[in-house]
Amino acid sequence: MNSIRIVDSAEVHERASVGDGSSIWHLAQVREDASLGENCVVGRGAYIGSGVTLGDNCKVQNYALLYEPATLADGVFVGPAVVLTNDTYPRAINPDGSIKSASDWEATGVHIGKGAAIGARSVCVAPVTIGAWALVAAGSVVTKDVPDHALVAGVPARQLGWVGRTGHRLTEGEPGHFTCPDTGEQFIETDGRLAVKEGEQP
């Protein structure tokens, strides 16, 4: 059974694809060829650009702007007023003063891994990849790739630690060994990357 909910004031292009169980709220815009998975929520005034892809169970909060060609894996949270950019060298005009057209620049995207969360009013400057289960603190400006499970904050964003799948900060026991305070899941840090300890559930 199709259980998609699109309120009257939302604008969803006929060529957009919206998965079952998804909700698109007031004044949101979903452009042509955008693809939303199942059980996604697009909040009031949010913008989903042409060809942007969302996996299942994503939440895009009020007034977030996701410009193409952004891709979000399953379970990504995008907070209120977040911006995912797509122009590395933004200009309204060419050097000769003519208005830039679509053929005068190449869009670059922001890619967000499974379960990651982008805090309110953060800006992710393309091209950049946010790793799975990473957490970007509110108000951050992300200008370089973020590893899986990393906690980053600031302008520009810098890594402060590691977080588990619940979003809570991991606690460190012996050096390089971390534990999630909620699930008990254990991790090992090697060369600036975090991996699930052998024998633990991913």
Side-chain angles (χ1 to χ4, degrees):
M1 182 177 72
N2 190 317
S3 57
I4 297 170
R5 178 173 183 173
I6 302 173
V7 301
D8 290 343
S9 65
E11 182 181 337
V12 178
H13 197 279
E14 62 183 9
R15 293 208 315 267
S17 173
V18 180
D20 283 350
S22 292
S23 298
I24 301 174
W25 291 98
H26 302 280
L27 303 174
Q29 183 179 12
V30 179
R31 293 282 304 277
E32 65 276 8
D33 304 318
S35 176
L36 281 63
E38 296 183 357
N39 304 313
C40 290
V41 177
V42 177
R44 179 184 179 91
Y47 174 83
I48 311 295
S50 306
V52 169
T53 300
L54 279 64
D56 297 335
N57 305 313
C58 291
K59 290 187 176 182
V60 179
Q61 299 289 72
N62 296 0
Y63 301 104
L65 307 175
L66 279 56
Y67 292 103
E68 65 279 1
T71 59
L72 282 61
D74 293 346
V76 168
F77 175 89
V78 177
V82 164
V83 180
L84 307 184
T85 75
N86 69 350
D87 194 346
T88 308
Y89 306 104
R91 285 287 190 267
I93 59 174
N94 294 304
D96 64 4
S98 61
I99 296 175
K100 273 198 170 188
S101 66
S103 62
D104 291 322
W105 68 290
E106 182 177 351
T108 58
V110 173
H111 306 288
I112 305 177
K114 180 178 179 179
I118 314 300
R121 289 195 177 276
S122 293
V123 178
C124 298
V125 181
V128 72
T129 296
I130 312 295
W133 304 107
L135 176 59
V136 176
S140 299
V141 177
V142 180
T143 58
K144 62 181 181 179
D145 291 351
V146 175
D148 295 353
H149 288 280
L151 166 64
V152 300
V155 181
R158 301 182 187 280
Q159 186 171 350
L160 302 180
W162 302 103
V163 293
R165 289 182 292 165
T166 65
H168 290 179
R169 195 163 181 167
L170 301 181
T171 56
E172 187 172 14
E174 59 182 288
H177 292 253
F178 296 84
T179 302
C180 176
D182 299 312
T183 66
E185 191 173 22
Q186 296 183 359
F187 303 83
I188 297 176
E189 180 184 356
T190 305
D191 297 327
R193 299 285 171 175
L194 203 67
V196 177
K197 189 175 181 180
E198 187 175 346
E200 294 288 325
Q201 292 296 317

